[in-house]
Amino acid sequence: MKSLLVILLEDNVLDAELNQVELQQHLAEYKCTFKCVTNKTEYRHILEEIKPDLVLSDYNIPSYSGLEALRDFKTKFPFTPFIFVTGTQQEEVAAQAIKEGAWDFVVKDRLSRLPLAVQNALKLRDEQLKNSRIQESVAKSELWFRSLFNTANDAILMMTDFKFIDCNPAAEKMFGYPKEEFLKQTPATLSPLFQASGRSSEEASIEIVKNVMGGQSQFFEWLHMRSDGTVFDAEVALNHLELEGEVFVQAVVRDITERKNTLVALGASEKRFRNLVQQSPMAVIEWDTRLNVMEWNEAAEEIFGYNRSEVLGRSAYGLILEEEQNAQIEEVLESLIRQQGGSKNTNNNITKKKEVITCEWYNRPLTDEKGEIIGIVSMVQDITDKIKAESALKESELKFRQIIHSSPMGIYVYEVNSSDQLILADTNPVADSMVGIDGSELIGKPIEEIFPAMVTGNLPKHFLAAALYGTPWFTEDISFSGGKTSRSFQIYAFQSGKNRVAVMFMDITQRRQIEAAIKTKNEELLKINAELDRFVYSASHDLRAPIASLLGLVEVARLEKDSTGVNRLLDMQKRSLLKLDNFIHDIVNYSRNSRLELEIEPIEFTTMIEGIFEHLYFMDQFSHVDRRVNVPTKLEFSSDPKRISIILNNLISNALKYTDINKESPYVEVRVEKNESGITLCVADNGEGIDEEHHVKIFDMFYRATLNSSGSGIGLYIVNEIVQKMKGTITIESKKGEGSKFFVTLPNLNRQQLDQ
Ligand code: ADP
């Protein structure tokens, strides 16, 4: 139920009640609420308080007139019904009230008319309200369209019968005509003579406008012309409008010069892009969705051997793909489409020459503005050679590792890190056993940590040079001393990869020792050889000379009858035999010295020297020579007695042999003196002496200083050999005609010293 708020202006309370009753009874669809006021003050007050749906007013109110009340109300609520309910029956009054804006005039006598009057008034009010709203919204939308019309960037033109009847400011601006001028134009005068297609503008425009008038909207590109004659690209939308039976054409013209320019620029950039694609070092191929070639650049020609013109429009299958690859390629395509992103795959392809190559493919779907896939662009790289090189490299790496692991030399492989440190990267079993540490514990450590001694040496420098610059390095002169023993190494370092060095090493300690032994043996052999040569040469002479003389003496003795003569010859034979015996003695002594080890014993010099002299008593000079022996008492000295005896025997016998019998008192002196390390033996005589030029040579084998020497020249050689063997020295002081002094120093030997 609708509510109805009613103001009742009535000074007569009874009348007021009657009104209320009448309405409540006959306006059943309304729930009425009444605000009763009796005078001007109350009335004005209530108008401030509420907004009523209806006012019922008496025409004659004391000190206030009905018309005044009407006017007060209307200024405040112009669309709300105001009805007079009055006792006055005059026609003029009623007419005046209606004229002033009252909605109805009900006479109290005919109060039954009141409900109807109220219903009519309310109905009228509703209609009025509706109309006023429509008007309001029409006005609004007109305003809205006007402002759109006036502020649009596009030119908007209204036209009927090929005549312009309205245009907006954008049109004035676009075409360069003020409105009144514009309205004098026709589509033909707003266009150049011909359109881009070559068609006459007038002809074309008439046709188009006719179509629109017939009810077809049109949208097309058009060349327009401004008042100054410049032509511009436009996009034109023509619509057909019908207003109250009249047909209008509405045209919306958009200047698209800028868009065209952008398109031209886009075209240029696309051209540049195409050039780039053509010249790309990577093969670029564009496919449609069924894998037909749409674009094919020079690099693609190079890889696959087909010219662009040969392949355009052809399917990938049978061209660069085998039919059997279908499933694999489908998969690639599917994932491309599914992910809408790029994908990378590697597969075999066939060239025009039917060679199989391996290619790396980077694919990307091509989409239109709606995001639908219209093709695929692929970038291709022929990686056949790369793959071959890689597998060759892998194979050679494998071989290299096998070689390393089966090498008889120790091998350490180092890698140079970013701070130029050599980091152990690999070892082989030989190296591990040589170094004595499991290589896997050392891998990853820097060389200085593994071999601290190397920090000071040059080795790391050579290894670095090999690893970084490929300079190989070889040496045999490396020795490492660990504890008591020093070991020698042969090292060979060479580049085994980028920033890698393989260091091969071999322990050559034993070889070095053998080499040294061979070297001394060789030297000895050379000496022995030379001695042997000289020995054979002299021996043939020294052995045969006494034999030849003996043979001669035997023949002479055979003829000798006289016994004294025979005796003389026998003496001569004895001397020859003695000489031979001496020589053989000497040879035996020499041989003994070189073959027998030293036998150390304390030496009794006095006894030894006396024994030697006793053995030499048979010498011719013996009885003429004064023999002097000088040995310190309490001399403690150990050495090889047999060898010392040979030395003394030789020196003493020489001193006797080369005695000068013409001298007043010839002598031979043997002196033994103690020195720091042992003793000095001195054998001196005042005999023939030796010319200084022979001093160095008399120790050579078979060297004789005088032609008339009766010896073989081997004695001093043997003496010197023995002295050397006993780590002693021998020197001579001698002057021709004055005498000779031989000095022999010998160290005191004991077993301990010998062992060293
Ligand atoms: P030999 O058997 O000839 O004595 P040696 O080797 O003992 O051979 O001596 C070499 C040479 O040195 C002798 O031939 C001799 O000329 C000279 N010589 C050695 N000892 C003496 C000495 N005491 N006085 C003079 N000449 C000597």
Side-chain angles (χ1 to χ4, degrees):
M1 210 203 292
K2 288 185 224 169
S3 60
L4 195 69
L5 182 57
V6 184
I7 292 176
L8 253 175
L9 175 57
E10 177 65 67
D11 59 334
N12 185 327
V13 180
L14 193 68
D15 280 351
E17 255 174 44
L18 270 176
N19 286 347
Q20 288 181 42
V21 169
E22 192 62 40
L23 283 182
Q24 271 164 347
Q25 275 180 357
H26 295 100
L27 280 179
E29 69 262 44
Y30 291 102
K31 182 183 180 289
C32 299
T33 310
F34 296 91
K35 295 286 173 187
C36 298
V37 286
T38 54
N39 54 47
K40 177 181 169 181
T41 317
E42 283 176 3
Y43 175 70
R44 285 197 169 162
H45 186 252
I46 195 101
L47 285 186
E48 294 299 323
E49 297 270 289
I50 60 168
K51 181 178 179 296
D53 297 309
L54 174 70
V55 175
L56 299 179
S57 172
D58 190 4
Y59 197 77
N60 299 308
I61 300 144
S63 68
Y64 194 35
S65 81
L67 283 178
E68 266 180 296
L70 172 65
R71 285 177 205 136
D72 282 347
F73 183 73
K74 274 202 67 146
T75 55
K76 221 162 157 44
F77 305 107
F79 302 108
T80 305
F82 187 102
I83 297 173
F84 280 114
V85 182
T86 178
T88 312
Q89 244 184 344
Q90 293 155 334
E91 291 280 322
E92 312 85 73
V93 176
Q96 176 67 26
I98 297 298
K99 199 179 158 195
E100 288 267 350
W103 290 51
D104 210 335
F105 198 94
V106 177
V107 186
K108 285 177 181 171
D109 289 354
R110 293 206 216 128
L111 198 59
S112 57
R113 211 181 68 83
L114 182 61
L116 188 70
V118 169
Q119 273 170 339
N120 284 339
L122 287 175
K123 210 164 140 192
L124 190 67
R125 178 204 65 178
D126 286 346
E127 261 168 36
Q128 273 183 2
L129 259 175
K130 205 166 132 198
N131 281 342
S132 79
R133 282 208 188 108
I134 287 169
Q135 273 170 21
E136 210 174 297
S137 79
V138 165
K140 248 191 212 162
S141 69
E142 168 138 8
L143 194 74
W144 199 64
F145 281 111
R146 255 302 132 190
S147 85
L148 200 68
F149 184 76
N150 286 333
T151 58
N153 279 325
D154 295 341
I156 302 171
L157 321 167
M158 292 298 282
M159 166 173 157
T160 174
D161 257 353
F162 298 97
K163 267 191 201 129
F164 292 112
I165 53 166
D166 200 358
C167 75
N168 69 348
E172 295 175 278
K173 206 175 146 206
M174 191 181 290
F175 289 92
Y177 295 105
K179 193 169 179 172
E180 62 271 30
E181 284 296 314
F182 195 105
L183 298 184
K184 290 176 194 160
Q185 307 298 321
T186 66
T189 62
L190 291 179
S191 312
L193 277 178
F194 298 98
Q195 286 301 303
S197 61
R199 207 167 166 207
S200 134
S201 297
E202 191 167 9
E203 207 183 291
S205 64
I206 289 171
E207 190 187 310
I208 293 167
V209 173
K210 264 190 187 159
N211 284 340
V212 179
M213 303 274 259
Q216 298 170 15
S217 294
Q218 304 273 317
F219 185 73
F220 53 92
E221 276 191 22
W222 190 259
L223 284 180
H224 268 304
M225 191 169 72
R226 293 183 232 276
S227 63
D228 62 3
T230 53
V231 176
F232 64 97
D233 280 293
E235 203 170 67
V236 182
L238 296 182
N239 282 306
H240 165 269
L241 292 178
E242 246 184 271
L243 285 178
E244 291 161 10
E246 216 179 330
V247 175
F248 297 92
V249 172
Q250 182 209 45
V252 179
V253 180
R254 178 169 291 178
D255 183 342
I256 57 167
T257 315
E258 220 164 277
R259 203 170 79 197
K260 277 266 163 156
N261 285 346
T262 319
L263 276 177
V264 169
L266 273 177
S269 95
E270 171 159 339
K271 213 166 162 186
R272 270 207 302 280
F273 174 70
R274 289 270 155 219
N275 274 337
L276 207 70
V277 165
Q278 271 305 319
Q279 284 150 23
S280 161
M282 238 187 164
V284 180
I285 304 175
E286 227 178 274
W287 311 95
D288 66 10
T289 47
R290 285 169 304 149
L291 274 196
N292 295 320
V293 178
M294 304 307 288
E295 195 51 77
W296 184 267
N297 77 347
E298 280 172 28
E301 291 182 0
E302 204 144 293
I303 291 181
F304 298 106
Y306 291 103
N307 283 337
R308 182 173 179 272
S309 54
E310 283 177 281
V311 294
L312 283 186
R314 278 184 64 182
S315 162
Y317 295 106
L319 188 71
I320 59 168
L321 289 171
E322 305 260 32
E323 290 293 343
E324 298 83 77
Q325 288 175 283
N326 197 332
Q328 183 196 353
I329 301 303
E330 280 306 308
E331 217 172 278
V332 172
L333 287 183
E334 232 172 71
S335 92
L336 255 187
I337 290 163
R338 214 176 33 245
Q339 297 169 5
Q340 294 271 302
S343 80
K344 183 183 147 183
N345 65 297
T346 304
N347 55 267
N348 283 349
N349 289 105
I350 324 148
T351 66
K352 190 179 179 184
K353 289 182 184 162
K354 301 292 167 217
E355 284 169 341
V356 177
I357 55 172
T358 308
C359 294
E360 212 162 61
W361 291 78
Y362 302 89
N363 306 306
R364 248 201 119 73
L366 285 172
T367 52
D368 61 12
E369 307 96 83
K370 285 177 226 148
E372 263 165 49
I373 294 182
I374 51 166
I376 293 148
V377 64
S378 306
M379 290 200 271
V380 201
Q381 223 175 355
D382 180 356
I383 56 165
T384 316
D385 290 344
K386 197 174 119 191
I387 284 181
K388 274 189 197 154
E390 271 170 9
S391 76
L393 191 73
K394 260 188 203 147
E395 206 173 296
S396 86
E397 254 169 29
L398 202 73
K399 273 189 197 154
F400 179 68
R401 277 196 67 84
Q402 281 168 355
I403 291 171
I404 280 189
H405 280 260
S406 54
S407 164
M409 288 179 95
I411 300 178
Y412 272 9
V413 178
Y414 296 98
E415 195 166 65
V416 182
N417 71 3
S418 54
S419 37
D420 276 359
Q421 264 187 313
L422 290 157
I423 306 296
L424 188 66
D426 201 2
T427 71
N428 72 348
V430 178
D432 292 350
S433 73
M434 266 163 77
V435 177
I437 308 173
D438 182 5
S440 57
E441 285 172 29
L442 302 177
I443 285 170
K445 289 186 180 170
I447 192 167
E448 296 84 1
E449 201 177 305
I450 303 169
F451 302 111
M454 282 211 192
V455 185
T456 47
N458 271 336
L459 288 183
K461 232 194 291 172
H462 292 298
F463 295 172
L464 267 180
L468 299 177
Y469 316 114
T471 325
W473 183 67
F474 176 74
T475 184
E476 284 197 316
D477 296 330
I478 296 298
S479 53
F480 288 112
S481 26
K484 275 188 180 177
T485 53
S486 163
R487 309 203 65 84
S488 303
F489 286 92
Q490 187 183 60
I491 295 182
Y492 181 49
F494 62 95
Q495 193 178 37
S496 68
K498 198 175 169 240
N499 294 340
R500 270 175 167 253
V501 58
V503 178
M504 306 177 76
F505 53 97
M506 209 198 274
D507 188 337
I508 53 165
T509 316
Q510 213 177 356
R511 199 187 92 191
R512 272 288 149 89
Q513 285 165 353
I514 292 167
E515 277 173 359
I518 288 172
K519 201 177 160 202
T520 40
K521 270 271 138 54
N522 250 353
E523 281 165 4
E524 277 170 22
L525 273 176
L526 279 174
K527 196 176 144 203
I528 288 167
N529 243 357
E531 281 167 1
L532 199 65
D533 275 355
R534 252 182 302 157
F535 178 75
V536 169
Y537 168 77
S538 300
S540 65
H541 176 264
D542 284 285
L543 283 169
R544 287 189 63 208
I547 292 169
S549 101
L550 272 174
L551 285 172
L553 286 169
V554 169
E555 285 307 311
V556 175
R558 206 193 288 276
L559 303 171
E560 185 66 63
K561 304 283 189 277
D562 177 33
S563 69
T564 45
V566 171
N567 270 340
R568 190 176 50 87
L569 287 170
L570 283 174
D571 274 345
M572 286 169 79
Q573 285 179 17
K574 186 190 168 188
R575 265 204 294 279
S576 270
L577 282 170
L578 275 174
K579 202 173 176 182
L580 200 58
D581 188 43
N582 270 336
F583 184 66
I584 288 165
H585 245 281
D586 285 344
I587 300 289
V588 169
N589 282 340
Y590 167 70
S591 157
R592 272 208 187 118
N593 177 54
S594 56
R595 305 210 196 303
L596 297 181
E597 290 300 311
L598 296 178
E599 279 176 35
I600 311 299
E601 274 172 39
I603 308 292
E604 258 305 323
F605 278 107
T606 317
T607 332
M608 183 186 279
I609 293 163
E610 277 171 7
I612 288 166
F613 273 120
E614 269 174 36
H615 268 97
L616 297 172
Y617 79 97
F618 62 86
M619 287 184 75
D620 293 339
Q621 301 86 344
F622 193 82
S623 51
H624 306 288
V625 175
D626 181 21
R627 301 181 299 275
R628 304 171 190 171
V629 178
N630 206 335
V631 179
T633 52
K634 289 188 188 167
L635 176 68
E636 279 181 23
F637 180 73
S638 290
S639 192
D640 185 330
K642 276 183 192 140
R643 285 184 167 86
I644 288 181
S645 165
I646 294 168
I647 293 170
L648 285 172
N649 192 61
N650 266 289
L651 294 178
I652 293 168
S653 71
N654 275 353
L656 288 170
K657 207 193 289 178
Y658 303 108
T659 294
D660 185 355
I661 42 166
N662 298 322
K663 288 218 170 109
E664 218 172 279
S665 48
Y667 71 91
V668 171
E669 187 186 358
V670 181
R671 212 170 50 237
V672 181
E673 277 173 12
K674 208 176 147 50
N675 65 27
E676 296 142 30
S677 61
I679 49 146
T680 305
L681 300 176
C682 177
V683 178
D685 62 66
N686 59 347
E688 296 176 5
I690 307 162
D691 206 354
E692 211 173 324
E693 59 175 301
H694 301 296
H695 285 193
V696 280
K697 293 178 189 160
I698 52 167
F699 298 106
D700 289 352
M701 194 184 243
F702 302 123
Y703 188 84
R704 277 170 271 204
T706 48
L707 284 172
N708 55 357
S709 157
S710 56
S712 61
I714 200 171
L716 284 180
Y717 171 75
I718 292 165
V719 168
N720 188 37
E721 285 289 297
I722 293 172
V723 168
Q724 298 307 321
K725 180 118 182 174
M726 295 201 294
K727 308 227 157 46
T729 59
I730 181 162
T731 51
I732 171 180
E733 277 177 19
S734 180
K735 261 190 182 163
K736 189 80 182 159
E738 285 186 11
S740 309
K741 279 183 184 169
F742 285 88
F743 298 94
V744 174
T745 63
L746 290 170
N748 190 5
L749 296 178
N750 50 47
R751 292 214 173 275
Q752 233 182 345
Q753 278 170 313
L754 265 186
D755 287 344
Q756 278 180 5

